[in-house]
Amino acid sequence: MTQALLFKTDIDRGGEWEGHLARLLPDLEIRTWPNKGDPKDIVYAAVWQPPKGELAHYPNLKAIFSLGAGIDHLSSDPDLPKNIPVVRMVEPGLTQGMVEYVVMTALYLHRFMPAYDEARRRHDWIEVGQIATKDRRIGILGLGVLGSACAEGLLKMGFTLSGWSRSEKAMPQVRCHHGAAGLEALLGESKILVSLLPRTPETEGLLNRASLEKLPKGAAVINVGRGATLVEDDLLALIEEQHLSGAALDVFQQEPLPKESPIWDHPRIFMTPHCASMTIPETAAQALAQQIKRHQAGAPLDHVVDFLRGY
Ligand code: NDP
Ligand code: OXD
């Protein structure tokens, strides 16, 4: 029987992915959605944002691989097959991209660029000052694969760090907090807050007026996790009231960000269209192929989603 891998991405990269996958997984036929052929041949699916209900049509599917680190594009499908593993993307290219983005935006905020940018638009020659990275504590929400890699990158720049996770953790040079009391402590001490949380019922709306007000006056926010975590109107109001000094946002409550959103033109917000980091076909295909080969050999898969936790 033919065994095939169903592949679906949102960016056409000229067959780059398919080339790597065909080379690394010669015993599987690579079928790029929507050209799925006989649904009975599909044994693995590697997908980003498949249409809702799509993955219920493959009776021999053994595992689903997300092409992104987030799996909310899959968990939001009420017809997602329940009896097979769903695996998050963990690969060095995606991790490196996120470290670059978080270090870049942390430095942007640390060096008061929103204030300079705003002054520049008024043709105002101003001087805001400078402080040492060791005197700036950055709080990272989410100390998973990406949060812990970003912590390492920020430590290299000399920042002082705190982090927050669901379970208790210990990381060298990071003041680790967890749970509700831990969040309160982290917010109270973070001059830059980075969210690298997945979208789950617990993280939705977590960063709202009440929680953001706990940040010290003049603090700034970086959201690279999911847009649903941050209540955008509350952030905008707190910038307006000068409780917060600025933000760097890559993910939004609604994507694409609606044309009329004030975030597009906000002088104190650095924004990008959900591109903080992307899976790199070459390295991600290797990670995917390793996982599939392990599964074919009967070994356990890594990074399997726990749907009770929601990530
Ligand atoms: P991981 O699953 O490795 O890490 C998630 C972290 O969040 C863990 O530390 C986890 O805690 C923590 N967490 C989850 N829920 C809670 C909670 N309720 N309270 C406290 N901590 C919580 O994920 P990754 O690091 O690989 O990815 C994180 C997210 O980044 C993705 O889900 C995705 O949304 C986003 N992302 C965004 C991209 C972009 O381009 N903007 C690109 C890639 C990812 P614990 O350690 O205790 O489990
Ligand atoms: C994501 C990704 O989950 O791009 O946002 O990997």
Side-chain angles (χ1 to χ4, degrees), residues 1-8 28-47 54-65 81 84 292:
M1 174 196 149
T2 305
Q3 299 218 320
L5 166 76
L6 178 72
F7 176 76
K8 179 187 179 298
L28 290 177
E29 222 176 271
I30 310 300
R31 301 217 182 132
T32 301
W33 190 88
N35 300 320
K36 48 197 159 190
D38 183 347
K40 290 201 283 305
D41 297 343
I42 305 291
V43 287
Y44 296 109
V47 289
E54 174 66 26
L55 295 170
H57 296 138
Y58 305 97
N60 297 317
L61 195 57
K62 295 181 195 162
I64 299 168
F65 297 89
I84 56 171
I292 289 178

Side-chain angles (χ1 to χ4, degrees), residues 48 68-70 94 226 274 277:
W48 180 250
L94 180 70
R226 280 293 179 263
H274 197 147
S277 186

Side-chain angles (χ1 to χ4, degrees), residues 122-171:
R122 295 191 308 264
H123 297 196
D124 258 354
W125 185 274
I126 61 160
E127 192 182 283
V128 180
Q130 191 175 323
I131 65 170
T133 49
K134 73 173 175 45
D135 296 326
R136 176 91 67 184
R137 182 173 287 278
I138 299 185
I140 306 175
L141 302 178
L143 290 175
V145 171
L146 300 178
S148 52
C150 289
E152 281 174 31
L154 293 167
L155 283 171
K156 283 189 193 136
M157 294 309 307
F159 286 109
T160 301
L161 296 190
S162 297
W164 185 66
S165 52
R166 197 162 168 268
S167 54
E168 195 169 351
K169 280 204 172 17
M171 284 178 62

Side-chain angles (χ1 to χ4, degrees), residues 101 104-106 108-109 113-114 117 121 221-223 239 246-252 263-273 275-276:
Y101 188 94
M104 170 184 75
T105 49
Y108 182 85
L109 297 168
M113 288 303 141
D117 198 31
R121 290 168 196 231
V221 173
I222 299 173
N223 189 15
I239 293 177
L249 306 179
D250 180 62
V251 287
F252 302 91
I263 290 173
W264 286 103
D265 298 312
H266 200 296
R268 285 189 169 260
I269 299 180
F270 174 92
M271 69 143 298
T272 45
C275 61

